[in-house]
Amino acid sequence: MVFRNTLKLAAGMLAFSLLAGCLPDNRSALERVIASGELRVIMRNSATTYYEGPAGPTGFEYDLAKGFADELGVELKVIKAESIGDSLARLSRGQAHFAAAGLAITEDRKRRLQFTPTYQLARKQLIYRLGSPRPKSLAEVSGWIEVPANSGQAEFLQRVAREMPFLRWTENGQGDTEELLTLVAEKVIDYAVLDSHEVSLLQRYYPDLRAAFDLGEPMPVGWAFRKGPDDTLYRAASAYIQRARADGRVAELKERYYGHVGDFDYVGTRYFMRHVRLRLPNYRELFEQAALENRIDWRLLAAVAYQESHWNPDAVSPTGVRGLMMLTQATARQLGIKERTDPVQSIEGGARYLRWLLDRVPERIGEPDRTWLALAAYNIGYGHMEDARRLTLKRGGNPDLWGDVKETLPLLHKRAWHSQTRYGYARGREALTYVENIRTYYDMLVWHTDQERTPPARPASGLRIASPIL
């Protein structure tokens, strides 16, 4: 009897489920996302959008979209696209709720899509290789130009080519920004037109490349949605972008991903890449072992050592610090290091000291700010770093954000400010440069090790799409 009643109940529930499935879903797009617990977003796998970093998924667009998903209380699911064209195609097929793929807001795209308020401006730049003629305008370009297919750069060249029939250019259907930079660097193509924010992150890896000039007006970048009668999710995303701009979230992300690449040192980069080939192999296993024992990315430890000594175990500074990690006598004594110029002892000591500093930074401070603050302490001492954080709070900034603390550090050499601190005068500007340099070296080492695993593929010339206007 109980079994029969159970069957009747189950049958009734199934009938109700089937009936409910036939009824129209009157929930809004925003309500359906919240109910599903998942926000699907199309992203390009690139340095400025989304990639797998040492600590997991990262990237400017990823972090911005993750903030929106967190605000909605749902999980962010990334739908990876191979190119701009692939991003737009996936969006048109409805594979995701929107695209956050570094898409420029062009007139042509606005006719087909709706965009959130902008959060970034991208300048189009003509990239050339040192040793080649540097044109001052498109009229002086004598070689071929390549641009990513279906890109804002392609739309721009399509327009200007109507008045410049001599312009020779193609759309590359396979290459992204990094691949086009590689083709220019290897003299496979003459020029590329790319977005400035992507070039700024990647140019460090190609010290022979330069931007000849900017083309046209800067283009706004935004999230792209399909047009339709239900714009509830679009309006929620637009409101989120506006808040993120107003409350400093966008500025914080720009500092995190672009703040250390403003001063580009071509000569220093060339030397660094040479030392990566010739010096780093001598000490790489030592960095890897010491980093593993102290829960640090070995490339960060190697970047610190390069900033300190250029991987020279016999390096000595005017102040008497020595070795690969440039340990002071006091620090070496504290760590039990007997011979500072011994690479094994120096690297082990530097790793343990950095780990000690990382553990002292308040637990509430997240990454990567925690690491940048610890590095500042490695340079000027933990007490001076804490002085800078306290002054940051006094000045109305956030002492837990590197972007705010870095603005305060140079004040530590001014009497009006360091007189208010516990530890007094410090070379704060030097500490700022120190951290920013290490951030750059670390990025380059991450890029270098990624290239070891997956060397960039060169698109076959047959895959290039001829320009419709030549």
Side-chain angles (χ1 to χ4, degrees), residues 101-121:
L103 297 174
I105 305 174
T106 67
E107 291 302 321
D108 179 64
R109 288 173 183 167
K110 285 197 294 185
R111 285 190 285 270
R112 297 176 285 121
L113 304 166
Q114 53 185 357
F115 286 88
T116 62
T118 184
Y119 46 82
Q120 195 169 31
L121 291 176

Side-chain angles (χ1 to χ4, degrees), residues 58 98 151 164 167 239 241 301 390 392 430:
T58 189
F98 63 89
S151 62
M164 305 178 73
L167 198 64
I241 293 295
L301 188 60
R390 283 188 285 267
T392 299
E430 178 183 307

Side-chain angles (χ1 to χ4, degrees), residues 27-29 32 114 226-235:
R27 295 174 299 178
S28 69
R32 288 197 295 273
Q114 53 185 357
R226 291 188 300 167
K227 290 185 175 180
D230 186 344
D231 65 351
T232 52
L233 182 62
Y234 163 75
R235 285 189 283 110

Side-chain angles (χ1 to χ4, degrees), residues 32-49:
R32 288 197 295 273
V33 167
I34 294 174
S36 71
E38 183 177 88
L39 181 68
R40 300 190 307 278
V41 183
I42 296 166
M43 294 184 179
R44 285 189 295 133
N45 197 197
S46 71
T48 57
T49 303

Side-chain angles (χ1 to χ4, degrees), residues 162-352:
R162 296 187 181 96
E163 300 175 2
M164 305 178 73
F166 56 83
L167 198 64
R168 296 179 297 169
W169 65 282
T170 62
E171 295 186 41
N172 191 313
Q174 299 295 313
D176 60 11
T177 297
E178 184 164 356
E179 288 166 346
L180 289 181
L181 288 173
T182 300
L183 294 177
V184 177
E186 296 181 353
K187 300 183 181 180
V188 177
I189 62 177
D190 300 309
Y191 305 99
V193 175
L194 302 167
D195 284 339
S196 57
H197 65 294
E198 293 190 308
V199 171
S200 67
L201 279 181
L202 296 170
Q203 192 177 9
R204 296 167 290 167
Y205 315 134
Y206 303 92
D208 290 331
L209 300 188
R210 301 286 192 280
F213 55 84
D214 294 348
L215 294 89
E217 296 297 319
M219 297 295 296
V221 176
W223 290 347
F225 288 73
R226 291 188 300 167
K227 290 185 175 180
D230 186 344
D231 65 351
T232 52
L233 182 62
Y234 163 75
R235 285 189 283 110
S238 296
Y240 165 75
I241 293 295
Q242 289 176 326
R243 287 194 301 274
R245 283 168 38 179
D247 66 16
R249 172 64 173 164
V250 169
E252 178 188 335
L253 290 177
K254 286 180 178 178
E255 156 58 31
R256 176 176 297 178
Y257 289 100
Y258 304 103
H260 61 299
V261 297
D263 298 324
F264 185 71
D265 181 357
Y266 298 99
V267 176
T269 297
R270 199 173 286 113
Y271 274 114
F272 176 78
M273 297 307 288
R274 184 170 182 268
H275 288 155
V276 166
R277 293 193 306 273
L278 300 179
R279 293 186 180 180
L280 180 59
N282 298 323
Y283 309 108
R284 177 164 173 170
E285 288 187 11
L286 296 178
F287 287 129
E288 290 175 342
Q289 182 61 35
L292 180 64
E293 292 172 355
N294 290 279
R295 308 186 316 281
I296 300 170
D297 188 330
W298 76 264
R299 295 165 295 190
L300 177 66
L301 188 60
V304 174
Y306 189 80
Q307 172 64 25
E308 292 285 2
S309 67
H310 284 200
W311 298 325
N312 176 6
D314 298 319
V316 181
S317 82
T319 58
V321 293
R322 293 173 177 270
L324 280 169
M325 304 301 295
M326 285 293 187
L327 300 175
T328 65
Q329 280 189 333
T331 301
R333 193 179 305 114
Q334 174 188 340
L335 296 168
I337 301 300
K338 296 180 179 179
E339 182 52 65
R340 288 180 288 166
T341 56
D342 174 56
V344 175
Q345 293 187 54
S346 182
I347 292 173
E348 287 179 353
R352 284 161 47 202

Side-chain angles (χ1 to χ4, degrees), residues 22-169:
C22 296
L23 295 176
D25 188 347
N26 294 321
R27 295 174 299 178
S28 69
L30 177 60
E31 290 170 334
R32 288 197 295 273
V33 167
I34 294 174
S36 71
E38 183 177 88
L39 181 68
R40 300 190 307 278
V41 183
I42 296 166
M43 294 184 179
R44 285 189 295 133
N45 197 197
S46 71
T48 57
T49 303
Y50 158 79
Y51 59 95
E52 287 293 330
T58 189
F60 178 88
E61 297 269 13
Y62 176 84
D63 282 359
L64 192 60
K66 183 68 166 58
F68 181 46
D70 290 345
E71 188 175 275
L72 296 180
V74 300
E75 294 294 322
L76 175 64
K77 180 178 181 181
V78 175
I79 309 298
K80 287 191 285 189
E82 297 300 323
S83 63
I84 294 173
D86 189 28
S87 301
L88 296 171
R90 289 176 181 274
L91 181 62
S92 68
R93 294 195 294 267
Q95 293 184 2
H97 296 109
F98 63 89
L103 297 174
I105 305 174
T106 67
E107 291 302 321
D108 179 64
R109 288 173 183 167
K110 285 197 294 185
R111 285 190 285 270
R112 297 176 285 121
L113 304 166
Q114 53 185 357
F115 286 88
T116 62
T118 184
Y119 46 82
Q120 195 169 31
L121 291 176
R123 293 174 287 114
K124 296 176 292 295
Q125 295 181 324
L126 183 83
I127 306 302
Y128 76 106
R129 188 182 189 279
L130 278 180
S132 304
R134 179 184 179 178
K136 297 180 180 178
S137 67
L138 283 177
E140 295 184 10
V141 173
S142 58
W144 279 85
I145 302 172
E146 288 201 14
V147 298
N150 303 297
S151 62
Q153 298 94 314
E155 287 186 30
F156 175 82
L157 289 182
Q158 286 171 5
R159 292 195 304 272
V160 301
R162 296 187 181 96
E163 300 175 2
M164 305 178 73
F166 56 83
L167 198 64
R168 296 179 297 169
W169 65 282

